[in-house]
Amino acid sequence: MTPGPANSSIVDTSRPHPARVYDYLLGGKDNYPVDQELGERMPPVAKAGVAQNRAFMHRAAAWAARSGIDQFLDIGTGIPTRPNLHQIVQEINPAARIVYTDNDPIVLRHAEALLISTPQGATDYLDADVREPAKILGHARALLDFDRPVALSLIALMHFVPDEDDPYGITRTLLDALPAGSCLVLSHFTDDFLSVEQDKTEEYRSSGISLRPRTRSEVARFFDGLDLVDPGLVTAPRWHKDTPLPQDSGVTDSFHVGVARVPR
């Protein structure tokens, strides 16, 4: 999800959109030639990176569900790709409740796929920008009980929020609304490990997409005041909790990821 005009219902096919480029790199079909063109200019590490990021989301969401959290607020949902977050967590706990949020009209068009819940649980979708945290929280409270732990999922999102939009303040506003025992699941693009040839940040920016890679220390700031869950802040392929360590693919890492608890 790239921050932009909230509640826009027009799909702009004149320039690439990060959700559609991400979909293309994952092998999806909900993208346009302009997205495919940018995706083709990306190095192999980009395709591997989005796959590693998606796999991290699967592992982290499943761990949160197994640890007893049954409420999820997923901001920057992206184009639905099975399994979606609710399918992962409701397989573990059929009563889990999930609120999805994105501001891309093409995601809105596919929102029905995000709303097929188990009979015991519930899902909801809100068309909103991450820079509208009060709006997101107000809507989420209609489905989620903020007196009980909630998992806040910010997957591959905050690197699209430039410094001038205060990404740390946005994250803090969201976290301050959550009770103790809640958790933050976050992944963030980094160029820490990329060679000059692999780093295509300027390709994205020249296509009209705001992209702000952050270093490990900059990503760590999102977790200030929280209790990081082992193994801490690591690259996407290195994060695992109660499952085996994923097999090393030998591909250069491009995401810092972590899960952290709101302290009691």
Side-chain angles (χ1 to χ4, degrees), residues 2-17:
T2 294
N7 302 317
S8 172
S9 60
I10 300 174
V11 177
D12 183 359
T13 61
S14 67
R15 63 178 186 173
H17 189 285

Side-chain angles (χ1 to χ4, degrees), residues 1 19 22 54 57 73-81 84-85 98-103 107 114 124-126 153 155 157:
M1 179 170 95
Y22 190 92
R54 186 78 182 174
M57 184 277 283
L73 175 55
D74 181 35
I75 306 176
T77 299
I79 296 168
T81 304
N84 296 302
L85 188 147
I98 300 91
V99 173
Y100 290 110
T101 302
D102 209 302
N103 74 329
V107 179
L114 299 170
D124 194 10
Y125 181 84
L126 171 66
S153 176
I155 298 294
L157 171 64

Side-chain angles (χ1 to χ4, degrees), residues 25 60 88 90 228:
L25 292 173
I88 294 167
Q90 288 184 341
L228 274 165

Side-chain angles (χ1 to χ4, degrees), residues 129-141:
D129 192 297
V130 69
R131 294 177 300 185
E132 305 172 289
K135 176 181 177 179
I136 293 171
L137 292 168
H139 183 93
R141 285 189 173 95

Side-chain angles (χ1 to χ4, degrees), residues 130-264:
V130 69
R131 294 177 300 185
E132 305 172 289
K135 176 181 177 179
I136 293 171
L137 292 168
H139 183 93
R141 285 189 173 95
L143 185 70
L144 307 181
D145 178 1
F146 277 52
D147 290 327
R148 299 192 301 107
V150 175
L152 170 63
S153 176
L154 302 177
I155 298 294
L157 171 64
M158 302 311 285
H159 47 250
F160 295 121
V161 181
D163 294 339
E164 56 265 30
D165 286 340
D166 191 15
Y168 301 111
I170 291 169
T171 305
R172 179 49 52 191
T173 297
L174 294 165
L175 287 169
D176 284 348
L178 305 183
S182 297
C183 71
L184 170 64
V185 179
L186 180 142
S187 68
H188 196 294
F189 175 66
T190 184
D191 57 8
D192 282 354
F193 312 106
L194 302 181
S195 67
V196 173
E197 293 75 19
Q198 291 172 324
D199 185 2
K200 298 297 182 180
T201 299
E202 290 307 318
E203 291 269 3
Y204 263 77
R205 290 174 176 164
S206 65
S207 298
I209 298 174
S210 174
L211 181 63
R212 170 63 162 90
R214 292 186 171 94
T215 64
R216 186 181 188 280
S217 61
E218 288 176 317
V219 176
R221 286 184 57 194
F222 288 104
F223 297 98
D224 283 353
L226 305 180
D227 297 329
L228 274 165
V229 173
D230 288 338
L233 181 59
V234 294
T235 56
R238 305 296 299 176
W239 196 94
H240 70 117
K241 184 60 179 172
D242 51 5
T243 56
L245 178 67
Q247 185 175 359
D248 186 359
S249 65
V251 177
T252 302
D253 297 326
S254 55
F255 281 86
H256 290 305
V257 307
V259 178
R261 291 275 198 182
V262 175
R264 296 186 182 277

Side-chain angles (χ1 to χ4, degrees), residues 49-70:
V50 298
Q52 291 170 344
N53 176 70
R54 186 78 182 174
F56 159 71
M57 184 277 283
H58 291 171
R59 295 193 301 275
W63 172 80
R66 286 193 293 268
S67 70
I69 294 180
D70 62 358

